[in-house]
Amino acid sequence: MNTLRKIEQIIELCLVPKLNKNYDECKNHSEFGIRNKNLDKNFYLLQKQLEAINFRNCNNPESVISQLLILYFELSSKNTWDEANCLKCSEKLNSYFQTFYEINLSNVIFQNAVFNHQEIFDKCFENLHKKLSPAEFKKYPTQIDVYLRLIKNIKRYNVTIVPSKILPTSLNLIDDYIIENKLNGLKSCLSILQCLNNDAFEQGNYFEVVYISLRKLITEKDNEATKLVFECLLALYNILPADSKKQKLDEMYNAVLDQLIIESNLYRKAECLKFTKTIISIHKIHCCSRIIFFAIISDNLDLCCNEAVSEVLLETVLETLKEWIKYCWCVWKFSVGHKILSNLFKVLYCCKDEQLVPEMHNIIVTLIKLCDDAEKKSIINNLEIVDCTIKNDFINRINAIKCDVK
């Protein structure tokens, strides 16, 4: 038998085999114990084979080296399926490479010093994805762990990345119902997207697959997942083909506004508003189309009359409204947005954060100045008859607005 082929077979015996049940379906999996029980024997056989071969003299040794790297990461994970001898075996693998090739096994993917690190990188993910299919990936928790550890350092590899060959496991994790898997999938997806450039999706439309997986998670209620989804969507937008950008921004804008209409969790609401502000800054005048934006801002300003809510939301609401005014002021109508002005005055009355008062002042003055003359006159007349018994701070704030409007 070919020596390289024999090494591959022994490596497979050293890895945790496919579980009989999904990892999350029970707490005890016999496969972990079986691997740990037989590891010393199989690893001894592997060492003997490695000592008898010089990879420098082999044709295309990168396939086997990539499998050794996967084995190294699995044995060194310090996870629930590993025992003390697993870490010792990983150290021996590293020691072998250091002795024979003057490079740590953990570094073969970082540099071309001895072996082709691009080929090792490609083979690692090819081998992992043979097991981590949509139907089977939860029966290979150790290989998922290896995948995540490889992705963690992806920015340092200096390799060419083909999205369709590296993203599938991230997308499988994102689509899973277990929140830990979703978060791990989103983190790895973000790391990958941040390494890609503008020509990453020139060949084919794989970006649609990625986008659909991320778009579905806009409804996810976990706050950390919400943050990561928005980061991933923005990272994906940056590398989309130019002819797809506008449509995707339209869809993202509509989707996040739909979330803001129904969202009750203040912290997730704040994340949605931040994402909305970012989209407005990119999409500019194209954000005029959804009049529901007025109702969303008005409702959230109303909530900010409560001091505890104000501490979480007010600054973000004001920043989002200010960004909208910057680009969409031309469609402002007092007849549609009068509740925003009304609620701005209510918040101005309640606000105890002096740093936010100038922000509200500027927004109120701007919105009044955007009204027609009759509306402006009516607003100023109403400000003239503000009850003088109201606290002095508010009277001073109103007087400052009247002064700037006039």
Side-chain angles (χ1 to χ4, degrees):
M1 181 187 291
N2 181 289
T3 303
L4 292 180
R5 178 62 186 143
K6 191 168 185 178
I7 291 174
E8 289 177 342
Q9 290 183 345
I10 299 174
I11 290 172
E12 196 62 31
L13 293 174
C14 293
L15 294 168
V16 174
K18 176 182 175 182
L19 304 185
N20 186 47
K21 295 181 178 180
N22 287 348
Y23 183 58
D24 57 290
E25 289 181 6
C26 65
K27 292 185 177 179
N28 298 310
H29 297 274
S30 60
E31 292 83 2
F32 297 152
I34 293 170
R35 190 285 298 265
N36 292 336
K37 180 180 177 182
N38 297 326
L39 180 60
D40 286 342
K41 172 187 173 183
N42 291 323
F43 192 79
Y44 174 78
L45 295 174
L46 177 61
Q47 282 182 292
K48 288 299 179 184
Q49 290 295 322
L50 291 176
E51 289 168 2
I53 193 171
N54 186 338
F55 285 124
R56 287 191 180 95
N57 299 329
C58 297
N59 290 325
N60 303 317
E62 285 77 14
S63 179
V64 172
I65 293 171
S66 69
Q67 292 179 62
L68 286 170
L69 186 60
I70 289 171
L71 175 61
Y72 167 79
F73 275 118
E74 182 180 296
L75 293 173
S76 61
S77 68
K78 298 180 184 178
N79 219 309
T80 53
W81 47 74
D82 287 333
E83 295 181 346
N85 65 323
C86 295
L87 184 57
K88 290 178 182 177
C89 289
S90 71
E91 291 170 349
K92 288 176 182 177
L93 272 180
N94 235 347
S95 177
Y96 161 79
F97 265 78
Q98 187 64 56
T99 300
F100 283 81
Y101 306 107
E102 298 180 339
I103 185 173
N104 287 339
L105 177 56
S106 55
N107 288 336
V108 295
I109 203 168
F110 290 103
Q111 51 185 283
N112 270 326
V114 183
F115 306 106
N116 186 324
H117 77 313
Q118 177 73 59
E119 186 71 16
I120 292 172
F121 174 86
D122 292 339
K123 287 292 184 181
C124 275
F125 288 97
E126 180 183 325
N127 290 325
L128 287 168
H129 282 119
K130 285 176 183 176
K131 295 179 178 179
L132 300 179
S133 66
E136 303 285 350
F137 76 97
K138 288 205 282 188
K139 292 181 178 178
Y140 289 101
T142 60
Q143 301 288 281
I144 291 175
D145 186 69
V146 172
Y147 174 88
L148 295 174
R149 292 178 70 192
L150 282 168
I151 296 296
K152 188 176 181 180
N153 291 311
I154 193 168
K155 292 178 183 177
R156 297 171 50 204
Y157 295 155
N158 192 28
V159 292
T160 300
I161 298 170
V162 179
S164 60
K165 293 183 178 179
I166 192 171
L167 274 165
T169 294
S170 289
L171 302 186
N172 289 341
L173 292 168
I174 285 171
D175 290 339
D176 194 44
Y177 67 90
I178 299 172
I179 191 61
E180 183 181 358
N181 283 345
K182 286 185 187 296
L183 294 176
N184 283 330
L186 287 166
K187 289 172 185 175
S188 59
C189 181
L190 181 60
S191 294
I192 294 166
L193 291 175
Q194 288 175 337
C195 289
L196 300 177
N197 52 35
N198 291 332
D199 61 0
F201 295 110
E202 280 189 351
Q203 304 299 320
N205 62 345
Y206 188 72
F207 67 88
E208 290 284 3
V209 177
V210 183
Y211 174 72
I212 289 169
S213 288
L214 293 172
R215 168 87 184 275
K216 284 191 295 186
L217 250 66
I218 287 183
T219 60
E220 172 58 52
K221 295 302 181 182
D222 181 84
N223 202 45
E224 186 180 357
T226 297
K227 291 180 186 178
L228 287 167
V229 169
F230 292 155
E231 287 185 74
C232 286
L233 283 170
L234 290 173
L236 177 62
Y237 169 79
N238 289 333
I239 54 175
L240 283 176
D243 58 357
S244 298
K245 284 181 178 281
K246 182 182 181 300
Q247 178 193 346
K248 293 296 181 278
L249 271 183
D250 280 337
E251 292 174 6
M252 285 188 268
Y253 185 59
N254 291 336
V256 73
L257 291 185
D258 289 343
Q259 286 302 296
L260 280 166
I261 294 168
I262 62 174
E263 185 54 59
S264 58
N265 181 286
L266 295 181
Y267 295 97
R268 187 168 185 274
K269 193 187 286 280
E271 292 304 322
C272 289
L273 283 165
K274 290 174 187 175
F275 186 57
T276 302
K277 175 181 177 289
T278 302
I279 290 180
I280 293 170
S281 69
I282 300 170
H283 212 28
K284 299 180 172 57
I285 190 68
H286 299 292
C287 292
C288 288
S289 57
R290 289 296 301 272
I291 301 301
I292 193 67
F293 178 85
F294 287 179
I296 290 168
I297 293 297
S298 178
D299 290 346
N300 282 285
L301 284 170
D302 197 31
L303 290 173
C304 289
C305 291
N306 178 290
E307 185 177 353
V309 174
S310 177
E311 290 176 359
V312 177
L313 276 187
L314 182 55
E315 184 175 3
T316 306
V317 175
L318 294 175
E319 287 293 324
T320 305
L321 177 56
K322 188 167 71 172
E323 197 71 14
W324 184 90
I325 293 170
K326 184 191 298 186
Y327 299 107
C328 303
W329 60 268
C330 55
V331 298
W332 164 260
K333 291 182 180 179
F334 181 68
S335 59
V336 179
H338 62 91
K339 283 189 177 181
I340 290 179
L341 259 178
S342 175
N343 287 338
L344 278 167
F345 280 115
K346 285 168 65 176
V347 178
L348 186 66
Y349 176 80
C350 302
C351 185
K352 294 182 179 179
D353 187 342
E354 290 296 332
Q355 292 184 337
L356 293 179
V357 170
E359 288 289 330
M360 279 183 281
H361 172 97
N362 291 335
I363 291 172
I364 290 171
V365 169
T366 300
L367 292 179
I368 293 175
K369 287 185 174 181
L370 288 172
C371 296
D372 63 34
D373 290 341
E375 292 165 346
K376 195 181 305 178
K377 184 177 180 180
S378 174
I379 293 168
I380 293 172
N381 287 340
N382 285 324
L383 294 180
E384 295 287 0
I385 59 173
V386 171
D387 189 346
C388 292
T389 63
I390 295 175
K391 59 185 182 179
N392 288 336
D393 282 351
F394 184 60
I395 294 296
N396 292 336
R397 292 169 184 177
I398 292 295
N399 287 335
I401 290 170
K402 289 192 293 186
C403 181
D404 280 358
V405 170
K406 290 178 179 179

